Amino acid sequence: MAGIQIDGVNNKIDFDDDLDTSISANTDDTLVIEAGGNTMATITATTFTINDGTTITTADNTDTLTLKSTDDDTAEGPVLKFTRDPSGVADGDLLGTIKFVGDDAGGNATDYFELQSSIGDEGAGSEDGRLTFYGMVGGTARNVLDITHSNIVFNQDSQDIDFRVESNGNANALF
C-alpha cells in the first residue's frame, strides 16, 4: 500500500505506509494529529493542545504571536499563563523562563536577557514567589534584578553596573 489511506471505521486518514502518521476524529468533536505514532496535537471545539516543542517562524518584522481579547469588561485583558504542574514541588523550583536570544558576532545563539520565575516557599498558606532578571554582562549571565517576597535587590552579582533615576530638573528624582 502506498499513499493516503482512509479508514472509515476509525474515522482516520493515514499518510504513510506504516499507519503511524495520521489525522483522526474517533471521538465526537475532537481531531487528533499524529506523526510517527506520537500525538502532536489535539483540537476540540474550544481548545487546541500541542504536545512537545512548538516553533512559530516569521520572515519579517511583523508580530510573531498576538494574544487578543475582545472582552468588554474592565477585568484582565489577554492573559499569557505559564503553568508548571508537577507531581511534587519544592522551594526554588523554576516555574517558567522567558529568554531573549540573538546571535553574537561569531553567529552563536546567545541568551542576552532572561526572566525566571521560581517558587520562594511552596508551603500551603505561606507561598512566596521570586522573579529574577538575568542580563549578559561581559559574556556571562548576571543577576541584575532579584524580586522576592521580602526584598528587591539590584545587581545581586556585584557587577560594575550603574543605577540611575533620571529626572527633568527635579531636585529629588529618587526620594
Side-chain angles (χ1 to χ4, degrees):
M1 294 180 131
I4 297 174
Q5 301 168 51
I6 298 175
D7 177 350
V9 174
N10 295 308
N11 297 322
K12 183 177 179 182
I13 301 171
D14 289 300
F15 294 96
D16 61 2
D17 292 340
D18 61 358
L19 309 178
D20 66 354
T21 300
S22 64
I23 298 175
S24 63
N26 57 2
T27 303
D28 188 35
D29 298 329
T30 300
L31 191 63
V32 177
I33 301 169
E34 292 181 322
N38 298 309
T39 299
M40 301 305 297
T42 304
I43 304 166
T44 70
T46 57
T47 62
F48 187 89
T49 303
I50 300 172
N51 298 343
D52 300 325
T54 301
T55 301
I56 301 171
T57 303
T58 183
D60 56 24
N61 293 320
T62 59
D63 295 343
T64 305
L65 176 65
T66 300
L67 304 178
K68 182 177 183 178
S69 172
T70 58
D71 190 7
D72 288 332
D73 64 23
T74 59
E76 295 177 308
V79 175
L80 177 61
K81 187 174 186 175
F82 293 78
T83 302
R84 183 164 184 196
D85 190 16
S87 59
V89 296
D91 294 353
D93 280 358
L94 190 62
L95 296 172
T97 301
I98 299 174
K99 294 183 179 188
F100 297 87
V101 181
D103 286 351
D104 64 13
N108 304 299
T110 302
D111 297 348
Y112 283 96
F113 205 83
E114 182 174 318
L115 283 73
Q116 287 186 356
S117 175
S118 58
I119 297 173
D121 183 349
E122 52 81 28
S126 63
E127 298 91 335
D128 297 320
R130 180 178 182 185
L131 184 62
T132 308
F133 294 71
Y134 292 94
M136 189 63 67
V137 179
T140 303
R142 301 293 185 173
N143 181 333
V144 295
L145 176 61
D146 207 346
I147 302 170
T148 69
H149 74 287
S150 61
N151 58 48
I152 298 174
V153 179
F154 295 95
N155 196 16
Q156 177 73 26
D157 286 345
S158 301
Q159 297 300 296
D160 187 13
I161 299 172
D162 292 335
F163 175 80
R164 295 191 326 241
V165 177
E166 296 292 332
S167 174
N168 190 11
N170 294 324
N172 297 307
L174 180 62
F175 193 137

